[in-house]
């Protein structure tokens, strides 16, 4: 009985529901999950960083989807201004209550500004990943790299498929 109660409460916490009353062709369980924010005008990397390119500046941060999976962010390590970042290379780290994750640059360029607010308030990444929680601003060295990134629709589909696989 205790095992049945535990399984039931775990299924409820994970928002799993039995679909026994539905067609036998459907999976035994379905996952009901609210998807995170994906914004128009932003490009996304498959490592869950985002880029907003405006003029000669590209702002980079981690997506709402990524921060949601990380949980409460407690520390952020970012590069110095005037350093360079390279596409698909690590430029920092985000530490949360769950894990520490590398931040991968979606494009190459020179760091022209670092969000110094994150040193004292790393939780801005959770509360405002696309606004106050941005990480670095870069002068792209190869703007064509932006074309290899996903748009909002492609990123939404990518996240849905990635979540379904886990």
């Amino acid at each position: 009985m205790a095992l049945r109660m535990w399984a039931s409460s775990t299924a409820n916490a994970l928002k799993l529901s039995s679909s026994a009353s539905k067609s036998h062709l459907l999976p035994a369980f379905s996952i009901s999950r609210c998807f995170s924010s994906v914004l128009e005008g932003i490009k996304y990397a498959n490592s869950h960083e985002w880029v907003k390119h405006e003029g000669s500046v590209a702002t980079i941060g981690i997506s709402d989807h990524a921060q949601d999976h990380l949980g409460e962010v407690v520390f952020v390590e970012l590069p110095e201004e005037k350093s360079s970042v390279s596409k698909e290379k690590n430029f920092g780290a985000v530490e949360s209550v769950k894990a520490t994750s590398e931040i991968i640059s979606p494009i190459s360029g020179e760091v022209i500004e670092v969000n110094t607010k994150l040193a004292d308030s790393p939780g801005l990444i959770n509360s405002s990943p696309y606004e106050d929680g941005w990480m670095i601003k870069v002068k792209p060295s190869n703007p064509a790299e932006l074309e290899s990134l996903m748009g909002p629709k492609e990123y939404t589909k990518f996240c849905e498929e990635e979540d379904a696989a886990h």
Side-chain angles (χ1 to χ4, degrees), residues 54-75:
E54 298 174 297
S56 63
V57 177
T59 304
I60 298 173
I62 65 168
S63 71
D64 189 34
H65 184 77
Q67 73 76 27
D68 184 51
H69 281 275
L70 281 171
E72 181 186 354
V73 175
V74 296
F75 179 76

Side-chain angles (χ1 to χ4, degrees), residues 16-66:
L16 296 174
S17 62
S18 173
S19 60
S21 64
K22 295 180 181 175
S23 167
H24 69 281
L25 299 175
L26 295 176
F29 290 95
S30 63
I31 297 176
S32 172
R33 181 161 189 218
C34 178
F35 193 72
S36 304
S37 299
V38 176
L39 304 181
E40 291 293 327
I42 292 181
K43 296 282 200 163
Y44 298 88
N46 61 6
S47 53
H48 300 287
E49 290 79 17
W50 59 264
V51 180
K52 184 173 185 179
H53 189 227
E54 298 174 297
S56 63
V57 177
T59 304
I60 298 173
I62 65 168
S63 71
D64 189 34
H65 184 77

Side-chain angles (χ1 to χ4, degrees), residues 34-132:
C34 178
F35 193 72
S36 304
S37 299
V38 176
L39 304 181
E40 291 293 327
I42 292 181
K43 296 282 200 163
Y44 298 88
N46 61 6
S47 53
H48 300 287
E49 290 79 17
W50 59 264
V51 180
K52 184 173 185 179
H53 189 227
E54 298 174 297
S56 63
V57 177
T59 304
I60 298 173
I62 65 168
S63 71
D64 189 34
H65 184 77
Q67 73 76 27
D68 184 51
H69 281 275
L70 281 171
E72 181 186 354
V73 175
V74 296
F75 179 76
V76 182
E77 179 185 333
L78 297 173
E80 298 289 324
E81 285 183 18
K82 298 185 180 174
S83 63
S84 59
V85 293
S86 298
K87 181 179 172 133
E88 299 177 354
K89 300 290 184 194
N90 173 14
F91 73 77
V94 176
E95 184 178 326
S96 73
V97 294
K98 293 182 183 179
T100 299
S101 299
E102 290 184 335
I103 309 165
I104 309 298
S105 185
I107 60 170
S108 302
E110 178 187 350
V111 178
I112 58 172
E113 190 177 345
V114 175
N115 188 350
T116 56
K117 291 179 186 177
L118 296 179
D120 292 329
S121 301
L124 290 171
I125 292 170
N126 297 115
S127 62
S128 183
Y130 299 112
E131 296 293 329
D132 298 330

